[in-house]
Amino acid sequence: MTTSLSADQIYEQQIKALSRTAQLRLLARIADGLAATSNEADAELNLLDLEGVGAALWQDEDAQHYVDAERDTWDRPS
C-alpha cells in the first residue's frame, strides 16, 4: 500500500534531519530538475506578445469621440 506524504511531512521527516550542506545540495538538484523540465507556459512573458490583444474591442470606436466623452465626465460632479 502506497502512502502519500505532503511536502511538509517530507520536510519534517526527511529533509530537516539532513545537514545544511546536504539540504543545499538537494535544493540545487530540485532547482536543476525544475529548470530542465520548464515549458513555454513557464517562460518569461514578453510585453510585445500582447500587441493587438483587445483590438476588436475598439474596432468601431472613434478615438476622438471616446476621449471627448471621457473628458466630459471630468467636469461632472461625483
Side-chain angles (χ1 to χ4, degrees), residues 22-49:
Q23 287 183 26
L24 289 170
R25 197 174 302 127
L26 177 60
L27 181 61
R29 289 205 51 196
I30 292 170
D32 288 344
L34 288 172
T37 60
S38 68
N39 57 35
E40 281 188 34
D42 294 334
E44 189 173 322
L45 295 177
N46 183 337
L47 185 58
L48 296 177
D49 292 340

Side-chain angles (χ1 to χ4, degrees), residues 7 9 14 16 18 20-21 23 26 30 32 38 41 47-48 50 52-53 56 60 65 73 76:
Q9 290 171 321
Q14 303 292 322
K16 194 174 181 180
L18 298 173
R20 184 175 190 275
T21 301
Q23 287 183 26
L26 177 60
I30 292 170
D32 288 344
S38 68
L47 185 58
L48 296 177
L50 296 175
V53 173
D60 297 325
H65 176 72
T73 64
R76 289 188 216 137

Side-chain angles (χ1 to χ4, degrees), residues 4-24:
S4 180
L5 297 174
S6 72
D8 288 335
Q9 290 171 321
I10 293 170
Y11 176 77
E12 289 296 327
Q13 294 173 12
Q14 303 292 322
I15 299 168
K16 194 174 181 180
L18 298 173
S19 69
R20 184 175 190 275
T21 301
Q23 287 183 26
L24 289 170

Side-chain angles (χ1 to χ4, degrees), residues 55-63 65:
L57 296 172
W58 300 99
Q59 186 172 3
D60 297 325
E61 185 75 44
D62 177 59
H65 176 72

